[in-house]
Structure formats: structure tokens, C-alpha cells
Amino acid sequence: MKLLQGWTLAGSLVFYAFFGYQNAVVFAISILWNINAINVMRVNKVKTAKFENDSENSKCANADNSVDKDTKKTADSGKLWLFAGIFVNVALLLFFKFSGTFFPVAISFYTFNQISYLVDYYRGDIDEFRPLEYLTYIMFFPKLLQGPLMGYGDFVKELKKSVKTKFDYETILRALLLISLGMFKKVILADTIGKAVDYGFENLAMLGSLEAILTAVFYSFQLYFDFSGYCDVATGICMMMGFDLTLNFDSPYKAVNIIDFWKRWHITLTKFFTKYVYIPLGGNRKGEVRTYVNFMIIFLLSGLWHGSGWTFIVWGAMHGILYVITRLVQKKTGQKTTANVEKQEATANQGNPVIKGIKIILTFIYVTAAWVFFRAETLSDAILLFTRMFTGGKKPIAISMAASFQLDELWYIIKVTPIMKLSFAWDICLWMFLIGSAVVIFFCKNAITYAKECKISLKTTLLTIVLLAWTIVSFAGVSTFLYMNF
């Protein structure tokens, strides 16, 4: 076990070192501070346990002493260090988000992981502080950059399981298939679509109505493939290690409403805010109005976590408002308990396909509209894009936008065929990407599910080889993952 932790930790250190010394320094400071806070709480726990034991003995002897006061004082000190630990973590994160200096890679994710450890340790959910396990948990490279925000208990359980896992060729093939699918999503789909998105947001005032709509839809697709691609690659790497990474992305654009969306998108972030913010705020225990206020607080915090501008506040507010409205509607229609809500959502996912399709489309449109604020530099830019959707007129798609999709391996085939003589030839790659992406997003099985359940055959092996080869030869123009900036 310790040998595995040592190798994993060493690999994670090498991995993070590639991002530069500035990032490493901030990461080291954060880790050292948290270890210090944990050690102080650990000492206080030992003292508290000793004082409580002495208190019981003194009561048996009917002695009058100050043991109870010492117990309370020590417990208060532990709580103080918990608050201090959380405060410094949050302060460090906010400083780099708002200072405009530089934004350390993965700081949002390792900060939240360390906060969750501090709280769980204080609550007694973690029985003992083990430095090597702690460092492995915080620095585990597959989840370091973009999550998932895996709980310490679940992480250690998987780490122990991976030690006992025997080498299995089929599992390796499934992992490689999943990695190839994830890389394809990122390198071929997300980065290609991203070029068109960049053109759209850099030329907002000149966009026609169709171009403005495509810019918003393409960004929604880009973010989807970028984030899910990372999740696929990370999960595939962990599969090779015999480690099941917590599911963090479950076909979110198939959601039938905004509540369903947040059960599918960045699942572990939702669980983090629920456990460490929503429930401590009172959850649904302090009345209906307070419950909805707590929901809004969560979504506004989620907006701030993603970025420091007003655009992120608006994005969070849009999700929060619709979330509250949806909850109110569910309550009015009789969905009063969590069990009923989940049962009726399951029925909605299996019911009338036309009604289900309409719900999915409406949810996607709303989420896409919110993503416009997420991507725009300013509120004015976001409003301008919406304005161009209705006032841009019937303008042909700009060559610069269409050219974003003309990958050499596709464009060469089109140029040597009669298709090139058609009037829409310059746009054909764009429509191929749009339609193909929509099919993958709305009709295909989740990549992780597919890789785990499919029959390993010559077809899946060839698919893996083709996708890996295609993405590897395209690495020259690859960009960083979008969620590394949050």
C-alpha cells in the first residue's frame, strides 16, 4: 500500500512540476498550511479525549476540579483551528481569483479537497491523520486539474482496492478505448469547435443571426466535450490502476430540467456544496423561504467559484432562479419528497418521447443561454450576442468561422469530390461537426458507460487505434482544458 502511494505521489509531483515553479510554490504553501491545521486539531483531539476520560474518572470519585473547563477550552481551540484552516484556504483562493496576478493551476480543486478533509477530520469522519495518504489524496494527478472532488473516504477505499487488483488485458483495452474517446472529444471536437467560438466572440458586432446562434451553441458543445473529454481520460487512466474514479459527468444535456442537469453536470461539485455549505446553512430544515435562499446562495457561490466577474454571477443566478422555480413547480404538482421527485424524473426519462424531447431541448436552450454569460468577457458582450441573434439578419456564415472546421484530413476529401462544386461546400465541414456533435451529445451512450459495457472486439480495437492516432497527430494545436481556468 505504501509503495503504491509512494509511486503515485512521485508521479503526481512530476506531473504538477511541469506547470512551473510558481504553481508549485502556491501548492506547497497550501499543503503545508493545511497539514499544520490538521496537526493542531489532532493534538486537540488527543487532549480532549484525555480530559473527557479524566472528567469521567473525577465524576466517579465525586471530585470537584476544572477538568470540564479544560475539555471545553481544548474543544473550542480545535473548532477555532478548523475555521482558521478554512478561512486561509478560501482567502488564498479568492486572492488569486481577484488579484489579477496569475491563477495557479488546479487551485480551485485542491483547495476544495483540503477544505473537505479539514471538515471531515474535525467531525470525526476521518479517524486518523496519515500524512502519506493525505498527500496522495490531495495530489492524485488524474483528478488534480479538474476533479472530481472525491471524498477522502471513497478515495482511500479505491486506493486500497487498486493494490489488490490483478493485471487484466481486457480492462486495459477498455481503459485505452475510454482514453481515446476522451482525447477525441478534447483534441478533435472541443478544440476545433473552440476556434469558431473564438471567432464569434471576437467579432460580435458583425455577426449575422445564424452566426450568433451558432456561436452560443458551439460554445455549449465545446464546454461539454472539453469537460467530458477530461473526465473520460482521467477515468481511463484510473481504470488501468484498478481505481474507480467517482462519476463526475453523466450526459448532462440529456437532462429534462435544471435539477436533472445538476445531477449530471460536475456531480461532485454539487455534492460538495450540498454537504459543506447547503446543509450547514440549514438545508431545508428552516422553512421554505430559507430553503430557497440557501439554493440561491449555493448557485451564486458556484458562480464565484468559476470566476470573479459579473458574468459568472449572472450565470449562477440564472441557474439558481430556474432551480428554485422548478422546485416550486414540483411542490405544487405533488412532488413533495426527494423520493417522489426522483421517481417522477425517472418516469419522465422513460415516458412520452416527444414530451421528453421537448423538455430536453428547452433545458438545453436555457443552459446554453446561461453559458453565453459564462464565456463572455463582459455583460455587454453577452447582451450584444443575444441582440445579434435577433437583429443580425440573413447573413451567410463567414468564411473565417466555416474555415475553423476545415481539418486537412476532411477538407482534402471534399476538395477532390464533386461536392466542392456545390454552393454550400465551404460550410459543409461546419454542419458535419454540428450534426455529429449533436448526435453524440443527445443520442449516444455516455462514453464511460460504453467503455465499461461494450464487447471488446476487432471493431472496438480499431476504433481505439484510429482515434488515438488521429488525436496524436493533431496535438500540435491542442489547447489547455477550459476548467483549468476556474
Side-chain angles (χ1 to χ4, degrees):
M1 180 69 174
K2 289 187 177 180
L3 181 61
L4 174 64
Q5 291 174 3
W7 277 109
T8 304
L9 186 57
S12 299
L13 286 168
V14 172
F15 173 76
Y16 198 77
F18 280 105
F19 293 102
Y21 76 92
Q22 286 182 307
N23 291 291
V25 168
V26 176
F27 198 9
I29 291 172
S30 176
I31 288 175
L32 289 172
W33 164 254
N34 281 276
I35 288 176
N36 177 64
I38 293 165
N39 273 320
V40 174
M41 286 195 292
R42 181 179 60 81
V43 171
N44 276 281
K45 272 190 173 184
V46 173
K47 288 182 178 179
T48 301
K50 181 179 181 301
F51 287 140
E52 287 176 346
N53 184 57
D54 290 345
S55 178
E56 288 297 321
N57 292 335
S58 67
K59 286 176 181 177
C60 291
N62 295 319
D64 184 19
N65 54 49
S66 60
V67 173
D68 289 339
K69 291 182 179 180
D70 291 335
T71 303
K72 186 178 184 304
K73 184 178 179 181
T74 306
D76 289 343
S77 176
K79 185 180 291 187
L80 179 64
W81 270 96
L82 170 66
F83 290 148
I86 294 174
F87 176 81
V88 171
N89 276 295
V90 173
L92 194 66
L93 176 59
L94 293 178
F95 170 78
F96 286 108
K97 275 191 178 291
F98 290 93
S99 66
T101 50
F102 86 103
F103 194 70
V105 172
I107 187 172
S108 295
F109 290 94
Y110 65 68
T111 296
F112 274 20
N113 274 323
Q114 294 190 118
I115 289 174
S116 71
Y117 188 97
L118 285 173
V119 175
D120 288 352
Y121 184 78
Y122 176 80
R123 290 174 175 173
D125 296 335
I126 300 171
D127 58 351
E128 183 182 349
F129 174 56
R130 299 177 179 88
L132 189 59
E133 275 186 10
Y134 171 78
L135 290 173
T136 307
Y137 167 65
I138 298 299
M139 302 185 69
F140 189 57
F141 72 92
K143 71 176 185 64
L144 177 60
L145 299 184
Q146 295 185 181
L149 295 167
M150 199 170 182
Y152 175 79
D154 293 334
F155 177 82
V156 172
K157 183 173 68 175
E158 287 299 323
L159 200 62
K160 290 178 179 178
K161 187 192 77 174
S162 65
V163 177
K164 302 175 183 178
T165 303
K166 295 180 180 179
F167 183 83
D168 179 12
Y169 282 106
E170 183 175 320
T171 300
I172 297 299
L173 289 174
R174 292 184 186 278
L176 287 173
L177 173 60
L178 183 55
I179 290 171
S180 69
L181 291 169
M183 289 174 62
F184 177 77
K185 286 181 183 178
K186 167 58 181 170
V187 178
I188 305 301
L189 296 178
D191 283 1
T192 301
I193 292 171
K195 294 174 185 176
V197 173
D198 290 342
Y199 169 83
F201 277 94
E202 289 167 4
N203 298 275
L204 290 171
M206 298 185 294
L207 296 179
S209 294
L210 179 58
E211 290 174 321
I213 293 171
L214 286 175
T215 297
V217 172
F218 278 140
Y219 180 64
S220 196
F221 285 5
Q222 179 196 7
L223 198 55
Y224 180 99
F225 288 126
D226 191 279
F227 192 21
S228 67
Y230 176 90
C231 292
D232 294 344
V233 173
T235 303
I237 292 172
C238 288
M239 281 177 67
M240 291 183 173
M241 302 167 62
F243 189 107
D244 285 332
L245 202 60
T246 301
L247 183 66
N248 202 29
F249 197 91
D250 187 18
S251 302
Y253 290 166
K254 294 179 183 177
V256 295
N257 56 48
I258 202 67
I259 294 175
D260 190 23
F261 175 82
W262 280 103
K263 290 179 180 178
R264 296 168 175 264
W265 179 279
H266 214 331
I267 299 168
T268 57
L269 180 65
T270 303
K271 290 180 178 178
F272 177 91
F273 277 123
T274 300
K275 181 177 181 180
Y276 299 107
V277 181
Y278 175 72
I279 292 176
L281 283 174
N284 60 359
R285 304 186 305 275
K286 297 188 177 182
E288 187 176 353
V289 174
R290 179 65 178 273
T291 298
Y292 297 136
V293 169
N294 290 341
F295 283 138
M296 287 302 302
I297 291 172
I298 294 301
F299 281 104
L300 291 175
L301 285 175
S302 180
L304 283 173
W305 180 80
H306 283 94
S308 57
W310 280 105
T311 52
F312 292 100
I313 300 292
V314 172
W315 172 80
M318 286 182 67
H319 278 273
I321 290 168
L322 185 59
Y323 195 96
V324 168
I325 291 172
T326 304
R327 287 290 294 249
L328 283 167
V329 170
Q330 288 180 341
K331 184 174 182 180
K332 295 295 183 181
T333 55
Q335 300 180 47
K336 295 182 180 180
T337 67
T338 302
N340 285 339
V341 170
E342 291 179 351
K343 183 178 179 180
Q344 292 191 31
E345 283 179 355
T347 302
N349 284 321
Q350 298 172 0
N352 189 314
V354 175
I355 295 175
K356 177 186 174 184
I358 292 171
K359 288 180 177 180
I360 290 173
I361 291 170
L362 291 176
T363 303
F364 173 75
I365 291 172
Y366 189 88
V367 169
T368 297
W371 285 138
V372 170
F373 290 94
F374 199 84
R375 172 61 173 81
E377 294 292 329
T378 63
L379 292 176
S380 298
D381 284 350
I383 293 170
L384 179 56
L385 180 60
F386 288 122
T387 303
R388 297 303 296 175
M389 290 181 187
F390 299 99
T391 64
K394 295 181 179 180
K395 181 182 175 183
I397 298 172
I399 294 176
S400 297
M401 176 177 276
S404 302
F405 300 92
Q406 293 169 0
L407 302 182
D408 292 340
E409 52 269 37
L410 296 178
W411 189 236
Y412 178 80
I413 297 173
I414 293 172
K415 286 194 294 184
V416 298
T417 63
I419 296 176
M420 194 62 195
K421 298 179 181 179
L422 301 174
S423 59
F424 60 84
W426 281 92
D427 299 339
I428 194 166
C429 287
L430 180 150
W431 293 109
M432 286 172 61
F433 267 84
L434 180 68
I435 295 170
S437 298
V439 169
V440 170
I441 287 171
F442 295 107
F443 299 101
C444 289
K445 187 178 289 188
N446 184 303
I448 295 174
T449 303
Y450 171 73
K452 289 182 177 181
E453 296 180 353
C454 72
K455 181 180 178 181
I456 297 299
S457 61
L458 178 61
K459 183 181 72 172
T460 56
T461 304
L462 288 175
L463 177 63
T464 302
I465 294 171
V466 170
L467 294 183
L468 283 176
W470 193 358
T471 53
I472 288 171
V473 298
S474 303
F475 270 168
V478 71
S479 67
T480 59
F481 287 97
L482 294 177
Y483 256 77
M484 285 174 62
N485 300 315
F486 304 135

